Amino acid sequence: MSVKHIGFIMDGNGRWAQAHGLSRAEGYAYGLMALRKVAKRCEERGVEAVSVYAFSTENIERPSEEINAIFEVVKKFNLTYDGKFKICYMGDFSTLPDKLADSIESVEERTADNEGMTLNIAFNYGGRADILHAAKIAYDHGEFVEDTFEKHLGSSRLPDLDMIVRTGGEMRLSNFMLYEAAYAELFFLEKLWPDMQESDVDELLDAFEKRTRKFGK
Ligand code: FPP
């Protein structure tokens, strides 16, 4: 039973920064380093797609300094990424600063023909909003069956979601990939996101192997 698609809720960057006497902005920069390690190991283990929750629609309520810090980390990543993953985004980009929205478009275009794993970044994303958006399109097209509905979700070009991993000790989905989560195996780690290592990916994939998936049958 191979894992094709993993979702990560990268929680605990702020707490990690505080524990290390660093700013929250630095916490996100270290969070990105952890993401690079995790994604690389996932690809080595044959995973086809990794989705990460980088900014939720609710995160916009946070202090502007913190929002700017996340935006800067993400923009820099977009403008400098030269690896082999196919980078794609899901979420609402219409309200983002122009330069950030442009950087998203640019990295998606630059990596569109890459043959490596897909790294799908949920940004200014909310699971309910994504479902509602798909429902509106499906309604307009008069096509309310599962297959056609799913093609309007942000994750439509990705394989089914096999597992969701949340770091940072909380045990909830916080509006992340709610539709896709239907039969995903859930894993919750106490570890804070910037502490994630390649070996954690190996342990998670091993733990997944031990689960029995029944898909309701
Ligand atoms: C939740 O942790 C995480 C976020 C709000 C954003 C995480 C974003 C990154 C790690 C940057 C990723 C970069 C790219 C390019 C995808 P938190 O800070 O709310 O943690 P806390 O609960 O400890 O405060």
Side-chain angles (χ1 to χ4, degrees), residues 11 16 18 20 25-27 82 84-85 101 147 160 190 194 205:
D11 202 8
W16 187 91
Q18 197 175 11
H20 289 78
E26 287 167 306
D82 64 354
K84 58 186 178 164
F85 298 147
D147 281 2
D160 280 346
E190 285 298 323
L205 292 174

Side-chain angles (χ1 to χ4, degrees), residues 38-92:
V38 166
K40 181 165 172 288
R41 187 65 186 139
C42 285
E43 185 180 51
E44 286 164 0
R45 291 290 305 261
V47 174
E48 291 174 25
V50 163
S51 290
V52 292
Y53 208 5
F55 194 76
S56 76
T57 40
E58 291 73 31
N59 288 154
I60 205 75
E61 308 289 331
R62 292 193 179 194
S64 58
E65 201 179 310
E66 188 176 334
I67 295 173
N68 288 338
I70 300 175
F71 284 8
E72 280 308 310
V73 166
V74 170
K75 191 168 71 190
K76 188 164 166 211
F77 169 81
N78 292 340
L79 295 176
T80 57
Y81 183 75
D82 64 354
K84 58 186 178 164
F85 298 147
K86 188 195 286 269
I87 308 293
C88 61
Y89 275 79
M90 61 181 182
D92 176 9

Side-chain angles (χ1 to χ4, degrees), residues 86-156:
K86 188 195 286 269
I87 308 293
C88 61
Y89 275 79
M90 61 181 182
D92 176 9
F93 315 132
S94 65
T95 55
L96 297 178
D98 286 349
K99 284 192 176 148
L100 177 58
D102 290 349
S103 76
I104 291 177
E105 208 177 302
S106 131
V107 74
E108 286 189 328
E109 267 173 31
R110 265 189 355 262
T111 62
D113 294 328
N114 283 5
E115 309 225 314
M117 186 183 79
T118 298
L119 177 60
N120 176 43
I121 302 171
F123 202 79
N124 208 19
Y125 169 89
R128 287 183 177 177
D130 196 41
I131 294 169
L132 200 61
H133 172 77
K136 280 183 185 145
I137 302 175
Y139 179 78
D140 288 345
H141 293 190
E143 46 179 28
F144 256 112
V145 292
E146 240 175 77
D147 281 2
T148 50
F149 174 80
E150 285 171 2
K151 75 173 189 239
H152 304 302
L153 291 170
S155 64
S156 62

Side-chain angles (χ1 to χ4, degrees), residues 119-201:
L119 177 60
N120 176 43
I121 302 171
F123 202 79
N124 208 19
Y125 169 89
R128 287 183 177 177
D130 196 41
I131 294 169
L132 200 61
H133 172 77
K136 280 183 185 145
I137 302 175
Y139 179 78
D140 288 345
H141 293 190
E143 46 179 28
F144 256 112
V145 292
E146 240 175 77
D147 281 2
T148 50
F149 174 80
E150 285 171 2
K151 75 173 189 239
H152 304 302
L153 291 170
S155 64
S156 62
R157 289 155 298 166
L158 304 175
D160 280 346
L161 190 63
D162 296 303
M163 57 195 284
I164 294 181
V165 179
R166 181 176 188 145
T167 56
E170 308 287 357
M171 292 205 245
R172 54 178 170 261
L173 294 180
S174 300
N175 207 12
F176 180 63
M177 301 187 84
L178 298 180
Y179 184 95
E180 297 86 339
Y183 288 106
E185 295 293 325
L186 306 181
F187 295 84
F188 298 98
L189 306 182
E190 285 298 323
K191 183 172 273 223
L192 305 175
W193 178 258
D195 283 328
M196 286 291 281
Q197 305 293 335
E198 289 88 344
S199 56
D200 294 305
V201 173

